[in-house]
């Protein structure tokens, strides 16, 4: 499972599918998907999407490239899928994210930690006390 995840981390922009990743892990496709989810808490497809969105977040913060160019560079096949997935993971569109995270003098390691997308849904807020 670690080998397959490492492949996704290195080659996130390449077209990767479950059969190829299962071969890397030396297991069947069904066993790979089931075990990957049990070990890492998300499906291989969702992990790969999140990895691509993380890279897109970095590019949106640090470059002035067009959103469409970034979409294809990180491995998405269409701008619509990219925008929908980005919004689903980050909570706002790529353009909104870029506008809200204008460059600051904060070290990159802090920015990455603060803006890393979570695999868990946000906790509901506590009710206001009167």
């Amino acid at each position: 499972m670690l080998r397959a995840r490492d492949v996704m981390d290195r080659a996130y922009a390449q077209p990767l599918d479950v059969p190829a990743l299962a071969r890397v892990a030396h297991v069947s496709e069904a066993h790979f998907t089931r075990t990957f989810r049990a070990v890492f808490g998300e499906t291989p497809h969702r992990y790969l999407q999140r990895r691509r969105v993380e890279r897109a977040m970095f590019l949106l913060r640090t470059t002035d490239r067009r959103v469409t160019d970034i979409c294809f560079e990180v491995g998405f096949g269409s701008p619509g899928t990219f925008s929908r997935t980005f919004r689903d993971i980050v909570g706002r569109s790529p353009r909104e994210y870029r506008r809200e995270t204008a460059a600051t003098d904060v070290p990159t390691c802090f920015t990455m930690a603060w803006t890393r997308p979570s695999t868990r849904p946000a906790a509901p807020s506590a009710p206001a006390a009167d």
Side-chain angles (χ1 to χ4, degrees):
M1 292 301 124
L2 290 174
R3 275 184 257 159
R5 188 184 69 176
D6 289 345
V7 167
M8 285 190 266
D9 287 341
R10 278 192 314 271
Y12 62 86
Q14 304 302 315
L16 297 171
D17 59 6
V18 170
L21 294 168
R23 284 192 299 276
V24 169
H26 304 290
V27 296
S28 72
E29 295 171 30
H31 184 71
F32 173 73
T33 300
R34 210 173 27 253
T35 304
F36 191 96
R37 184 177 193 144
V39 171
F40 299 113
E42 59 190 342
T43 64
H45 178 71
R46 188 57 169 189
Y47 179 85
L48 184 58
Q49 284 183 321
R50 192 171 50 76
R51 182 70 185 95
R52 288 173 173 168
V53 166
E54 288 172 355
R55 180 63 181 162
M57 290 168 69
F58 173 77
L59 293 171
L60 288 166
R61 280 192 315 269
T62 60
T63 70
D64 59 351
R65 285 187 226 155
R66 295 177 337 134
V67 172
T68 303
D69 295 338
I70 290 173
C71 156
F72 293 120
E73 182 177 334
V74 299
F76 281 93
S78 78
T81 301
F82 171 65
S83 292
R84 186 173 49 255
T85 303
F86 193 97
R87 181 182 293 280
D88 186 41
I89 292 173
V90 178
R92 53 192 179 253
S93 74
R95 284 184 177 81
E96 290 169 340
Y97 176 80
R98 173 177 269 169
R99 190 172 41 252
E100 292 172 7
T101 58
T104 61
D105 290 331
V106 177
T108 303
C109 60
F110 287 112
T111 304
M112 290 176 68
W114 290 331
T115 60
R116 182 176 177 95
S118 173
T119 57
R120 287 178 262 135
S125 58
D130 290 322

